[in-house]
Amino acid sequence: MRNQLQVSQSLTKWIIEQRRHLHQYPELSHQEKITREYIKQCLNDLNYETTSYTGKDVIAELHGATNQGPILAIRADMDALEITEDTNLPFSSKHPGFMHACGHDGHMAIVLGVAKLLSENREQLFGTVRFIFQHAEETVPGGAEQIVEAGGLDDVSAILGCHLWEPLEKGKVGFREGPLMAGADRFEVNIQGKGGHGSMPHLTIDPVLVSTHAIQQLYSIVSRQINPHQPAVLSIGELKMGTSYNVIPDKAFFTGTVRYFDPDIQDFFKETIKTILDGVCKSFQASYEWNYQVGEPPLLNEQHLTAFVKKQATLFLPENQIVEAEQSLGGEDFAHYTNKANACYFFIGIGEKGNTYGHHHPKFDIDETMLPIGTKILAQSAINYLSNQK
Ligand code: NI
């Protein structure tokens, strides 16, 4: 094992400054223009050349002392959300209606910190570190998928990423081998009935009744048909029908999401949603159209790499601060990378029960003291991983 990296006070200060700057200029997925330019400038100032796979991401590479060896990638996401910030922070969003409410500002700062720290310790590096500042994590199709399609992971042997994580207690870092975050798909349903007067329901085919029956049955898939030991979720988030209290509408529309870890569950959802729609519509003489859109796959942490990165964390944190991460049914497009290279994605705790707000909340904030910890774990993992491959 090589020397243990140190994050100096001045580097910590620099990382926090980057986070505060980026926090003020949130941009939506696929529109991260100001962010991209800032990241490029930052990297150029650190003597990196930048490129891009899609025109929306920013890529930089650090080559170690020898020009051989594998490539390890480190990814940060860059996009923000359509949320009006309500934190009263002195460095609050300067883009009204938009906010870094998920922590991606922190992820960029952590990885910029890694780029700075490793460039100062290049003599310890064997092989190449590829920094991926990725656009559009929050949407489908997302940036990860596009970068993979453009070949960004073709020559990469391992990839690391992390998320500042409010459900995990501040100070702790969470790792988990195998599935960590769920596959997340979406479906849309249009029910066609026959409208009419509210006083004469027998002359109509009421899509209100058909939809509510269908939704009741869809909700029974998880509770009655899937093994309770298998994590799975089906939620309807949108339901639209009707315009007036005494008119039975013609049609109804609803849309929902399913979450799963096991691809067999995904298949089961697809088949069973269709079976229910067929049966319910037939029983009311209604008809329907639907579509099922496959979204993020499950995020799978490779066992050995995850154990390795976890071990690097023990160099900086007491053993009891390193915990088994709880699986999340949230989707994360880092999952696309985990299908292409050995991957480790971990959680950095920033939560304090009762005192912090969750991700995507207008009062969401991160604990900046955790930023240099992320930088250390990623940078140390890069150095030790690459020298192990020598
Ligand atoms: Ni996020």
Side-chain angles (χ1 to χ4, degrees), residues 71-106:
I71 301 175
L72 172 120
I74 299 177
R75 174 270 212 166
D77 39 13
M78 302 194 287
D79 51 339
L81 293 150
E82 201 164 351
I83 292 172
T84 299
E85 181 160 356
D86 186 21
T87 60
N88 283 324
L89 289 167
F91 50 87
S92 284
S93 169
K94 289 190 169 141
H95 291 170
F98 303 105
M99 176 185 178
H100 268 297
C102 194
H104 300 188
D105 50 341

Side-chain angles (χ1 to χ4, degrees), residues 155-203:
D155 48 0
V156 164
S157 58
I159 181 160
L160 310 180
C162 61
H163 209 300
L164 295 157
W165 202 238
E166 197 274 339
L168 179 63
E169 200 183 319
K170 171 168 111 176
K172 296 192 169 165
V173 179
F175 292 91
R176 191 185 188 96
E177 296 170 18
L180 177 66
M181 299 191 72
D185 300 343
R186 173 196 160 111
F187 62 94
E188 288 180 348
V189 179
N190 279 292
I191 304 281
Q192 185 62 54
K194 190 177 149 205
H197 200 289
S199 68
M200 290 177 261
H202 58 294
L203 300 178

Side-chain angles (χ1 to χ4, degrees), residues 82-158:
E82 201 164 351
I83 292 172
T84 299
E85 181 160 356
D86 186 21
T87 60
N88 283 324
L89 289 167
F91 50 87
S92 284
S93 169
K94 289 190 169 141
H95 291 170
F98 303 105
M99 176 185 178
H100 268 297
C102 194
H104 300 188
D105 50 341
H107 304 162
M108 289 185 274
I110 287 171
V111 176
L112 284 171
V114 178
K116 191 165 194 298
L117 184 59
L118 287 182
S119 70
E120 289 161 1
N121 291 275
R122 196 171 153 252
E123 73 291 345
Q124 291 191 42
L125 202 65
F126 294 85
T128 296
V129 179
R130 177 175 299 160
F131 299 99
I132 300 178
F133 290 89
Q134 180 212 305
H135 60 294
E137 188 283 317
E138 298 280 2
T139 184
V140 177
E145 195 176 354
Q146 295 177 341
I147 290 171
V148 167
E149 270 166 24
L153 269 269
D154 288 355
D155 48 0
V156 164
S157 58

Side-chain angles (χ1 to χ4, degrees), residues 168 172-176 310 319-325:
L168 179 63
K172 296 192 169 165
V173 179
F175 292 91
R176 191 185 188 96
K310 186 176 179 180
E319 205 86 36
N320 63 355
Q321 298 293 91
I322 299 167
V323 297
E324 175 89 350

Side-chain angles (χ1 to χ4, degrees), residues 49-63:
E49 284 174 23
T50 60
T51 56
S52 179
Y53 287 107
T54 66
K56 293 178 178 174
D57 58 283
V58 181
I59 305 294
E61 284 190 351
L62 183 65
H63 302 287

